[in-house]
């Protein structure tokens, strides 16, 4: 079956530091890949997505590239801000499983001023 | 735009009590899902529905029931609440099968004491 593995957290960075959160996946077929962000007390919201190999998703300074050869979708940001503090989830949605998404366990990011 | 609306936001139940978590979406999405999120963990799929009148079990269905009489509503029923059901519950929807992101409600934080 499908699975998503995220780097273990939590991650604590200083403001303006470079961020990488690793994500690898196992899936059949040709899934789409997503990063969701969850701010305290809120639901998950889509941060970015990529629907095919070599696609790069980007939003709010965050980027991730769909690497089929390494089955990875690592999240990066060049300069984090305090407001980026949240939980980040990597996920995939396949084309053969009734739209169900598979989520990683989430990585908590804390950015200190 | 309302999106996915969940009620209540918080609830405390006593062991053995029952309740229904409400979920409504106004995006005319066919697919709807219920997840639970335990502290420090990812999301586990409880039940899902691919359309009105059609529901199916996810990874962790025991102790829950669902119904889907219309496209808009997808309530989750807890019978005989147990402490193990203490969690944050998220309802989500997506417009069509596979390769698409999910839209989440803000969650219901349930404590069973």
């Amino acid at each position: 079956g499908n699975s998503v593995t995220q780097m273990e957290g939590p991650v604590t960075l200083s403001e303006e530091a470079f961020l990488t959160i690793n994500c690898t996946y196992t899936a059949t077929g040709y899934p789409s890949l997503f990063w969701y962000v969850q701010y305290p007390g809120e639901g998950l919201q889509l941060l970015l997505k990529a629907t095919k190999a070599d696609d790069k998703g980007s939003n709010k300074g965050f980027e991730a590239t769909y690497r089929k050869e390494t089955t990875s979708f690592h999240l990066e940001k060049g300069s984090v801000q305090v407001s980026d503090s949240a939980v980040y989830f990597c996920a995939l949605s396949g084309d053969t499983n009734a739209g169900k998404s598979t989520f990683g366990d989430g990585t908590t990011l804390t950015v200190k001023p | 735009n309302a999106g996915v609306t969940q009620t209540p936001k918080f609830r405390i139940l006593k062991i053995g009590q029952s309740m229904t978590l409400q979920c409504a979406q106004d995006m005319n999405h066919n697919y709807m899902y219920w997840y639970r999120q335990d502290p420090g963990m990812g999301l586990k799929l409880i039940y899902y529905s691919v359309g009105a009148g059609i529901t199916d079990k996810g990874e962790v269905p025991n102790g829950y029931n669902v119904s889907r009489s219309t496209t808009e509503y997808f309530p989750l029923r807890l019978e005989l609440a147990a402490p193990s059901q203490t969690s944050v519950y998220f309802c989500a929807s997506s417009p069509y099968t596979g390769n698409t992101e999910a839209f989440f409600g803000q969650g219901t934080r349930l404590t069973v004491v």
Side-chain angles (χ1 to χ4, degrees), chain A residues 30 32 36 38 49 94-95 98-99, chain B residues 31 33 37 90 98-99 101-102:
Chain A
Y30 302 94
S32 289
Y36 290 86
Q38 183 182 31
K49 69 178 182 181
D95 53 1
Chain B
Y31 291 77
Y33 316 89
Q37 183 184 29
F90 288 102
N99 296 79
E101 68 265 32

Side-chain angles (χ1 to χ4, degrees), chain B:
Chain B
N1 292 335
V4 179
T5 302
Q6 290 183 240
T7 56
K9 287 186 167 47
F10 303 94
R11 183 72 185 268
I12 298 175
L13 278 183
K14 294 185 177 179
I15 294 171
Q17 287 185 320
S18 301
M19 75 165 294
T20 299
L21 282 66
Q22 301 292 345
C23 176
Q25 53 95 4
D26 63 358
M27 298 173 282
N28 202 35
H29 287 172
N30 286 329
Y31 291 77
M32 296 188 75
Y33 316 89
W34 274 105
Y35 293 91
R36 60 177 285 173
Q37 183 184 29
D38 297 324
M41 305 290 286
L43 282 74
K44 301 293 185 187
L45 182 65
I46 305 171
Y47 270 95
Y48 66 100
S49 169
V50 302
I54 306 169
T55 62
D56 207 347
K57 296 177 180 179
E59 303 171 73
V60 290
N62 291 345
Y64 307 94
N65 276 299
V66 293
S67 60
R68 182 104 182 266
S69 56
T70 67
T71 299
E72 295 80 9
Y73 299 102
F74 190 42
L76 177 72
R77 177 83 176 161
L78 277 72
E79 305 282 2
L80 299 175
S84 61
Q85 293 177 304
T86 294
S87 190
V88 181
Y89 292 83
F90 288 102
C91 180
S93 70
S94 65
Y96 49 81
T97 183
N99 296 79
T100 185
E101 68 265 32
F103 296 78
F104 283 82
Q106 295 223 325
T108 296
R109 184 175 295 276
L110 175 68
T111 303
V112 182
V113 296

